[in-house]
Amino acid sequence: MFKYKIPFNKNLYVEQTILSLPYIYHFQRKQIKETTIAIIILISLGIIILFFGSDVSILFFCVAIFLIFDLYTKSENLRSSKDQYIRMLRDYLNDSESQNISSSYGIFEFCHDSLRLSDEFSCTWYYWSDFRKYKVSKSNLLLILKECPENVLVIGESEVSKIEFQKILKFIETKIK
């Protein structure tokens, strides 16, 4: 069992939140990917039909053009949402500095059957079967839940020592498959 008491670091929290944005906006990213695939299929079908000499290909090209505008709108909305999310998070953290949030802390307890997270106000258990996968990104361990993938738990190498981070990774490899 490993137990770490981690003090709150505003800048690190923002960096870790940026790493979790692809999971927070998973559905929007999925829509963009599906729209891109539809555009490629429609243009490909349009080209194939054009080679056979049919004017129906114009219909495929027109629909693809409308989807390109839709794709642009979705991409801009996603970019804007992510920027606004980070801006609001930074504003919140700056406003809460006067409330002395910087003296708060979190505790990660890696047990054999679960991960326990606690702070001054709450305590939560996650069983290892609750996690879909884990990922290491920029020296941070991201733990992604099955039921709620936009809720990503993050612990950074800078929050624990490099040796302890490697121990955590080896432990996680045996628990999340």
Side-chain angles (χ1 to χ4, degrees):
M1 181 170 91
F2 308 112
K3 184 175 181 178
Y4 305 98
K5 184 175 181 179
I6 300 170
F8 182 75
N9 180 331
K10 178 178 75 168
N11 295 327
L12 185 59
Y13 182 72
V14 171
E15 287 176 29
Q16 290 175 340
T17 301
I18 291 170
L19 289 176
S20 66
L21 285 178
Y23 301 99
I24 294 171
Y25 291 103
H26 169 73
F27 295 111
Q28 291 86 344
R29 292 179 71 221
K30 184 178 177 183
Q31 286 179 338
I32 289 171
K33 183 178 178 181
E34 290 170 351
T35 304
T36 304
I37 291 170
I39 290 169
I40 292 169
I41 290 171
L42 287 170
I43 290 174
S44 299
L45 286 173
I47 291 171
I48 291 170
I49 292 171
L50 185 64
F51 281 132
F52 288 113
S54 177
D55 291 334
V56 176
S57 64
I58 294 172
L59 177 66
F60 287 93
F61 292 133
C62 290
V63 173
I65 289 170
F66 285 119
L67 284 178
I68 289 172
F69 287 117
D70 184 49
L71 176 65
Y72 176 76
T73 304
K74 287 178 182 176
S75 298
E76 285 300 308
N77 285 341
L78 176 61
R79 186 190 57 76
S80 173
S81 295
K82 289 178 3 182
D83 290 346
Q84 184 176 5
Y85 186 88
I86 295 300
R87 188 173 35 257
M88 289 174 59
L89 178 65
R90 285 186 174 132
D91 289 345
Y92 173 75
L93 291 174
N94 288 334
D95 290 344
S96 61
E97 272 185 356
S98 61
Q99 299 172 7
N100 207 12
I101 195 171
S102 60
S103 65
S104 63
Y105 61 89
I107 298 174
F108 278 77
E109 287 185 58
F110 294 88
C111 304
H112 292 290
D113 61 341
S114 63
L115 171 64
R116 183 174 145 185
L117 301 174
S118 55
D119 58 21
E120 298 96 359
F121 307 109
S122 66
C123 183
T124 307
W125 282 268
Y126 295 101
Y127 293 103
W128 295 116
S129 60
D130 295 340
F131 293 99
R132 184 177 74 198
K133 66 178 183 174
Y134 71 94
K135 182 179 178 183
V136 177
S137 177
K138 296 183 181 179
S139 299
N140 289 283
L141 173 65
L142 286 78
L143 300 168
I144 296 102
L145 294 166
K146 287 179 184 174
E147 296 295 320
C148 189
E150 59 273 355
N151 186 12
V152 179
L153 307 176
V154 183
I155 186 167
E157 185 180 290
S158 62
E159 295 173 309
V160 296
S161 68
K162 187 171 186 158
I163 295 169
E164 290 297 316
F165 190 73
Q166 293 303 320
K167 285 182 186 177
I168 292 170
L169 285 179
K170 288 180 183 174
F171 181 76
I172 292 295
E173 287 173 358
T174 63
K175 298 298 180 182
I176 302 174
K177 297 177 183 186

